[in-house]
Amino acid sequence: MFEDEIRFLRKMSKRQLAQQVLNFLMIVSSALMVWKGLALYTNSESPIVVVLSGSMEPAFYRGDLLFLGMPDEPVRVGDICVFKISGRDVPIVHRVIKLHDEKTGKQYILTKGDNNQVDDRGLYNPGQHWIHKEDIIGKVKGFLPYVGMITIIMNDYPQLKYALIGFLGLYMLINRE
Amino acid sequence: MYNLLQRANSIFAFAMTVTFGVLAAIAIATPFLPSSPSAQITVKDIQVISYEYMTQGESEFAFVKLNLDADLTSLFNWNTKQLFVSVLAEYETNSHDINQVILWDSIIQSKEEALIKVSELHNEYNFVDITTSFRQVNASYSLYWDVMPYVGVLTSGQTKSNHVIKFPPRSNEYR
């Protein structure tokens, strides 16, 4: 099945091979550039996140894709925010239900998942009653269902991820067009 | 040249392009669909009573009773998945220039439910200030909603005609 391709690889001159490798690197780096450009444009460190829990159902289900933005305007009640609790890696996507803006500009924010019975004080660190603007990664601006399932599946089955990356890399190298 | 893999690949690529093209068109078009939501909130009763609260000691709790009359049916179009509707209290104190508290919320998933008429609605969350007292300031009550699409941009809105009413002085027990 692959004899054709192998013969083709053998036949390629060094320059052709270099060209194919460069093409491949070009694709990888443009993907990285798009991601970082989006991060700059939206002013959010990770502009697209995947929903991992059901705490915002029926609005967001596991595997839905959220597009974040963090404009200069302050957080307001009703905004759905993605935030991090210090000491924990996985960010949380919940809605702001209570907010107090101190005259100094400091914001005291309390969040809650639409599907949860109680507010998030039990999720924050012990003794922490509020989160602040610096804990927030972004506000949810856009929504695309299901697409994030791909990354969830790949995280659950890493072999699949390596197989897919390997296959795509090989395909790019032996692609004759 | 045209083996099965290549054909499958180009069919898949074309299907993806078309799908995402249609989704993008829907996402861009939806915010331009007209809507005329309306809502009226009337505060019937407020009582302020103090109780022990978390670590901050004796704090004033407000108990609000209000009537809600809203017609949000026009927010339902072919790209509306759900509405998140909430009653919002906003006030300003000496130390904090913006205080916003959600008193009650509801998730609405069909056009029929978007005609809301509730009387004597009590706040479902604790209504406590970040300090220990409301100091009898004025607070305005309004309806806030956000529209969750099947795909695309999240939009939100709030009624303009707010009901403004002062917090009453502290009383000892609930009447």
Side-chain angles (χ1 to χ4, degrees), chain A residues 26-150:
Chain A
M26 188 74 121
I27 289 165
V28 172
S29 54
S30 7
L32 193 69
M33 268 166 68
V34 167
W35 174 252
K36 287 293 170 192
L38 213 61
L40 274 178
Y41 176 71
T42 57
N43 198 14
S44 173
E45 62 179 270
S46 57
I48 300 176
V49 296
V50 176
V51 179
L52 296 175
S53 84
S55 62
M56 283 297 279
E57 283 176 23
F60 305 145
Y61 288 88
R62 194 172 145 82
D64 291 346
L65 217 58
L66 305 178
F67 297 86
L68 308 186
M70 183 81 146
D72 297 330
E73 82 210 45
V75 177
R76 286 287 162 254
V77 146
D79 289 345
I80 303 168
C81 287
V82 180
F83 58 92
K84 265 186 177 160
I85 302 297
S86 57
R88 263 171 281 171
D89 289 334
V90 182
I92 303 171
V93 189
H94 280 177
R95 188 186 299 276
V96 176
I97 62 157
K98 211 170 174 199
L99 173 142
H100 301 281
D101 274 15
E102 215 170 50
K103 287 256 156 86
T104 56
K106 193 174 169 105
Q107 291 198 297
Y108 293 79
I109 299 161
L110 177 64
T111 52
K112 177 181 167 289
D114 286 358
N115 197 27
N116 292 351
Q117 288 303 312
V118 292
D119 62 44
D120 287 347
R121 289 209 167 116
L123 284 178
Y124 300 164
N125 285 324
Q128 184 182 3
H129 292 159
W130 307 97
I131 59 167
H132 305 289
K133 178 109 184 177
E134 49 285 9
D135 300 320
I136 291 175
I137 299 172
K139 284 188 208 179
V140 178
K141 294 287 179 189
F143 175 78
L144 187 63
Y146 309 126
V147 179
M149 232 36 228
I150 301 167

Side-chain angles (χ1 to χ4, degrees), chain A residues 1 5 56-61 64 75-80 95-104 106 108 112 114-117 119 121 129-130 140-145 147 167 171 175 177, chain B residues 1 3 5-6 9 20 23 53-56 81-82 84 86 88 91-102 105 107 109 125-130 144 146 148-154 156:
Chain A
M1 183 190 170
E5 279 76 9
M56 283 297 279
E57 283 176 23
F60 305 145
Y61 288 88
D64 291 346
V75 177
R76 286 287 162 254
V77 146
D79 289 345
I80 303 168
R95 188 186 299 276
V96 176
I97 62 157
K98 211 170 174 199
L99 173 142
H100 301 281
D101 274 15
E102 215 170 50
K103 287 256 156 86
T104 56
K106 193 174 169 105
Y108 293 79
K112 177 181 167 289
D114 286 358
N115 197 27
N116 292 351
Q117 288 303 312
D119 62 44
R121 289 209 167 116
H129 292 159
W130 307 97
V140 178
K141 294 287 179 189
F143 175 78
L144 187 63
V147 179
F167 175 74
Y171 185 78
N175 193 3
E177 284 158 50
Chain B
M1 201 62 187
N3 62 25
L5 195 69
Q6 275 166 332
N9 182 29
F20 281 94
L23 291 181
Y53 183 58
M54 296 195 307
T55 49
Q56 69 184 49
K81 184 181 182 182
Q82 66 157 48
F84 173 85
S86 60
L88 198 64
Y91 57 94
E92 189 185 338
T93 58
N94 288 332
S95 51
H96 296 78
D97 39 17
I98 296 173
N99 299 275
Q100 295 180 309
V101 181
I102 289 183
D105 59 28
I107 289 167
Q109 292 183 285
Y125 304 121
N126 283 340
F127 189 8
V128 192
D129 189 42
I130 190 167
Y144 166 92
D146 83 31
M148 185 74 53
Y150 285 109
V151 62
V153 185
L154 279 72
S156 64

Side-chain angles (χ1 to χ4, degrees), chain B residues 62-66 102-104 121-127:
Chain B
F63 297 87
V64 184
K65 213 191 279 177
L66 45 84
I102 289 183
L103 302 182
W104 172 88
L121 191 78
H122 294 262
N123 49 311
E124 67 176 323
Y125 304 121
N126 283 340
F127 189 8

